[in-house]
Amino acid sequence: MTPEEQNFMRKIEAEEKIEPKDWMPAQYRKNLIRQISQHAHSEVIGMQPEGNYITRAPSLRRKAVLISKVQDEAGHGLYLYSAAETLGISRSEMIEQLQSGKAKYSSIFNYPVLTWADVAAIGWLVDGAAIVNQVSLQRTSYGPYSRGMIRICKEESFHQRQGYKAMLSLAKGSPEQKAMAQDALNRFYWPALMMFGPHDSDSAHSQKSMEWKIKRETNDDLRQKFVDQTVKQIEVLGLEHPDQAIKWNEERGHYDSSDLNWDEFWSVINGNGHCNRQRVEHHIAAHDEGEWVRDAITAYNEKKRAKKAQHAA
Amino acid sequence: MSEAIKAATLEYTTRLGDDSVVLGHRISEWISYGPFLEEDIAYGNVSLDYIGRARMFYTYAAELANDGRDEDDFAYMRNDREYRNLLLMEMPKGDFAYSQVRQLFADVYYTYLLPELLKSKDETLSAIAAKAIKETKYHLRRSRDWVLRLGDGTEESHKRTQKAVDALWGYTHELFDMDETEQLLADAGIGVDVSRLRDAWLAKVTEILTEATLTLPTEEWAVRGGRIGYHTENLGHMLTEMQIVHRSFPGCKW
Amino acid sequence: MSVITEKLELFEVFIRSKRGLDHKHVGSLHAEDQEQALEYARDCYTRRSEGVSIWVVKSSDICASQEDDADSFYDPNDDKPYRHATYYVLPDPVNNM
């Protein structure tokens, strides 16, 4: 190990944060960029499935809550893009990678949002799963990422709670509403579990990222945490658990559950879910349509600068 | 409060609520379609302000109506012929220039309307105005800046913005129309005499458009009818989407 | 499609959360100029009234110390513990000073 590497590893082991200007192994930087940008893209693409219900929200209060939630997703995307930018990649490069399919985002957003209950289920289950992951990432070794996570966690607890409240209104509402809630739970439960990624044994990046403390807990451990916490929540809603095999295991101190449909997981990751194409096309369309606006800003700014310079001369 | 005044206040408050909810809804259509992320967040805030206003106006309308309806009944259970919003608010989102020009027209309008509403003898209306004034100050700064940038940006942005000004101009006249209801309330010191706001509005809009190198339309045309429920076709589509979930499950709580 | 938000400049955002506290770095954003950066900072970083005052600074205007300089920058002060209040141990009854 070079002295730089030694110094780097010493910080990692001592739980000191790595900061932007510090020396870091090229692969550490690469892993971080991959993970943070993927995380940022997930927030940004995540605006779409819920945003798609903003214009149909069933009450004005729910409409306002949903707008502010989707706004938060945009904000979180922003925090994360700026964390990644400290590593020397620009937002435009990251967006290009998203649009070309080179960079991934969370597969959960490739599932269609069909009913209002889906919006509730996303808040509760998808944000819930995200929080489990993000709480763990508050302790990540890269300073800007860790600080971004702390900020995001603070804001996201509202997301899960509002989602659960919305779900509760449905589950305790009319029979149609309850059926809608159960249907949403059945469809979103499994993809939510898939958000934690493949089994660690099948994960290409897990080991090194754990060693460098980019990731602090394994995919399977985090998933287990989520499975455990969700059982009671489903019970309180009075809904049926989608996993028939769910069973408390005294010895492990955890719930046993069915294995996931990994074929589906890989198929969606590889671009063949219900909405993969739609989500990316939406992003490209909005981005392309924004181009003349961004051009206008640049042109206006240049004119203003020229005027100022003229004034000064 | 006399019955006539009370009925007029209910109608007036509903109109103001309709303006807010329709514009707020239109702005919300931009979320995830903005030119960049910062703008998605910022424009979302403006939308939230309008939805918030709509809720305050409708809550007050429900209180005045006192017939068991709530804010959502006003928003979701009336059809387009019953809506009383200004036509300007219901025009589709269009391109970014179109939305920002509409926003500018609306923001300048509220810049002059709200301080008058603040003087209302009706405490609730005055209180809503007090809150909205602060919001509008910020909204106008935004829409003014955008119109300047777009008008005086590139050739394309200039063209699009001028086109938006021309396309929306005819819908601005009814912003300053008075009818019996509004006259009654203006005389009673409750409502605003909007016909008196036109000069200030025109001066301000002219100033901003000129700075943005845009031309004030000379062509005189005006479309009116929002306040009597004679809408463009846009509102029906908008309400169909907005009300679908609420109406599909009658009587449900969300 | 390739030249994207870099048409806009990168700004660092600092927020004073309460009167009497320091401005603290909270993140960055893209904007056309200082004024727009300030407005976006308000929308993006104070959605929950996190601040009473905002600073924005062009990222390119920030001059940062390098870790390699750390020795000359900070070490000379490491041997001056008498600059810290904890250096002065006082008798218990008055140690809250």
Side-chain angles (χ1 to χ4, degrees), chain A residues 176, chain B residues 77 243-252 254:
Chain A
E176 289 90 345
Chain B
M77 297 307 285
Q243 298 175 338
I244 175 77
V245 178
H246 186 95
R247 291 205 186 200
S248 300
F249 301 89
C252 286
W254 304 94

Side-chain angles (χ1 to χ4, degrees), chain A residues 120-131 160 163-164 167 184-190 192-193 195-196 226 230 233-234:
Chain A
I122 287 184
W124 164 41
L125 295 172
V126 175
D127 287 78
I131 290 169
Q160 190 186 13
Y164 192 76
M167 202 71 181
L185 170 58
N186 294 347
R187 275 183 292 115
F188 275 93
Y189 180 75
W190 304 103
L193 294 185
M195 286 172 68
F196 296 98
F226 181 72
T230 307
Q233 294 166 356
I234 295 175

Side-chain angles (χ1 to χ4, degrees), chain A residues 27 104 121 182 190 225 245:
Chain A
Q27 193 60 36
K104 303 272 185 234
Q182 182 70 56
W190 304 103
K225 231 180 232 181

Side-chain angles (χ1 to χ4, degrees), chain A residues 294-305:
Chain A
R294 297 188 298 272
D295 284 342
I297 295 184
T298 315
Y300 176 76
N301 212 10
E302 272 163 17
K303 285 186 201 173
K304 218 169 61 173
R305 242 180 256 156

